[in-house]
Amino acid sequence: MTMAATPARITVRHGLWLAPLLLGATILAGTAIGETSLPFAVVCRTLANHLWGAGYPVDGIEAGIIWSYRLPRAIVAACCGAGLALTGVVLQALLRNPLADPYLMGLSAGASTGAVLVSVAGIGGGAISMSLGALSGALVAFGCVVALAHAVNGSAGGGRGTQAAAAIILAGIAGSQMFNALTAFTIARSANAEQARGIMFWLMGNLSGIRWDDVGACTAVSLGGVALCLWHRRGLDAFTFGADGAASIGINVPALRGSLITVTAIMVGVLVSKVGAIGFVGLVVPHAMRFLVGTRHDRLVPASALAGAVFLVAADVISRIIVPGQVLPIGVVTALVGAPAFALILMRGARR
């Protein structure tokens, strides 16, 4: 028993040391690589000047690019990747569906609609922030998806298992299309040509406007999501056996489901309001991490958060350098990776 348990303990212990190092190296790479080529030594000197007051001589423009533009962008990309990956972990566990993620479930589309209604249509008369609008839209979208899935499942005889899972995925796709159409209608009706172009670029995932003011909210919701998911790791494990199985071992199913769905909607609302709707992160990353670390959520939650952070920072770097002189929406890069992975998941499920 001792020999069998030792590798697992070593793996966990090494992971605790390697995770922050890997995350730090990823953020450093996201800060060093970009549209403008800057020497790595200049990046290190700039960071040392701001963090420790080192006093190295650095060009002011280069220092501004590194500190005021690239570093907050890399941090927010890491937070968004971690948060979106976590939402996928939570939704797939609670719904027992490998295809559940905030993009397919309509959360991202609803959050986009809420943000656009506030920023373009002027809903709330300036008293409602873009983040609150996105949060409200995510909650409304998820409520519509659940109601539609319940209606479809009820009309089909209240099926369980595969039938119920298919119903909620189909409802999510329908909800996404409806809220995407509402977003497009709002833009066409209320936005001028310049606003429409900027919003459409933002809806595909855009980190160009990120500054230090955005870092706090994104960091808070991502760290809070990790903490809450780890706190409820036993409940998430119990959902492997379904809601009835979780209730039979003492899990308060309505309370757990409600709190986790709420924090999922909050994460999606805040992150979408900052960077737009980025798809496939919450779908692909949890599956990859289950393959590497297993299905226990005490490992799956931190592993997915770390992998999501690394993945989105890498996608952001690629979006800035893949086309010389042009920055692509980050959602284009995640879709190019996520769409083939989505197809593999579908084929694997069909074989099972």
Side-chain angles (χ1 to χ4, degrees):
M1 284 182 65
T2 303
M3 293 182 64
T6 300
R9 287 200 299 268
I10 292 175
T11 301
V12 172
R13 187 171 67 248
H14 286 182
L16 292 175
W17 283 100
L18 290 176
L21 293 177
L22 177 59
L23 182 59
T26 302
I27 292 176
L28 181 60
T31 305
I33 305 171
E35 310 94 303
T36 303
S37 178
L38 296 174
F40 186 70
V42 173
V43 176
C44 294
R45 289 169 186 166
T46 300
L47 296 180
N49 288 346
H50 283 86
L51 295 175
W52 302 293
Y56 292 114
V58 180
D59 180 76
I61 295 176
E62 294 180 342
I65 292 173
I66 294 167
W67 182 259
S68 300
Y69 173 65
R70 288 189 185 175
L71 181 58
R73 178 173 180 148
I75 294 173
V76 168
C79 292
C80 289
L84 292 174
L86 278 178
T87 60
V89 171
V90 171
L91 291 173
Q92 288 163 20
L94 294 183
L95 302 177
R96 299 182 68 202
N97 193 312
L99 301 181
D101 89 322
Y103 198 80
L104 286 178
M105 296 303 299
L107 285 172
S108 294
S112 298
T113 301
V116 168
L117 286 173
V118 170
S119 62
V120 175
I123 299 295
I128 300 176
S129 68
M130 198 171 172
S131 296
L132 182 58
L135 170 59
S136 302
L139 290 172
V140 170
F142 189 76
C144 292
V145 168
V146 171
L148 178 59
H150 182 73
V152 171
N153 197 36
S155 65
R160 293 179 177 270
T162 304
Q163 183 177 337
I168 199 162
I169 289 297
L170 292 174
I173 294 172
S176 294
Q177 295 300 316
M178 182 183 71
F179 280 95
N180 285 334
L182 181 57
T183 300
F185 176 78
T186 303
I187 294 171
R189 181 180 176 83
S190 303
N192 56 40
E194 184 177 350
Q195 284 180 317
R197 182 180 180 278
I199 292 171
M200 295 307 295
F201 193 87
W202 170 79
L203 287 174
M204 298 176 68
N206 181 24
L207 289 159
S208 297
I210 293 297
R211 297 296 182 268
W212 280 110
D213 292 342
D214 304 306
V215 171
C218 294
T219 303
V221 296
S222 298
L223 292 178
V226 172
L228 186 66
C229 291
L230 286 175
W231 180 263
H232 290 298
R233 60 190 181 277
R234 179 173 172 267
L236 288 169
D237 287 339
F239 267 91
T240 304
F241 307 102
D244 293 338
S248 68
I249 62 173
I251 302 296
N252 188 338
V253 171
L256 177 62
R257 185 177 278 160
S259 63
L260 289 176
I261 290 297
T262 299
V263 76
T264 296
I266 290 173
M267 282 195 291
V268 172
V270 172
L271 298 178
V272 166
S273 72
K274 301 297 183 184
V275 302
I278 301 174
F280 293 104
V281 179
L283 177 64
V284 174
V285 172
H287 283 283
M289 291 302 101
R290 284 191 189 92
F291 178 77
L292 293 176
V293 304
T295 59
R296 285 178 49 185
H297 285 83
D298 59 345
R299 296 186 182 184
L300 182 60
V301 166
S304 296
L306 176 63
V310 172
F311 173 66
L312 205 61
V313 173
D316 182 46
V317 170
I318 293 172
S319 73
R320 285 183 277 164
I321 64 175
I322 191 171
V323 179
Q326 184 176 354
V327 179
L328 292 178
I330 191 173
V332 173
V333 179
T334 59
L336 288 174
V337 176
F342 182 71
L344 290 175
I345 292 169
L346 288 176
M347 289 187 291
R348 183 181 178 187
R351 286 198 298 269
R352 286 183 173 179

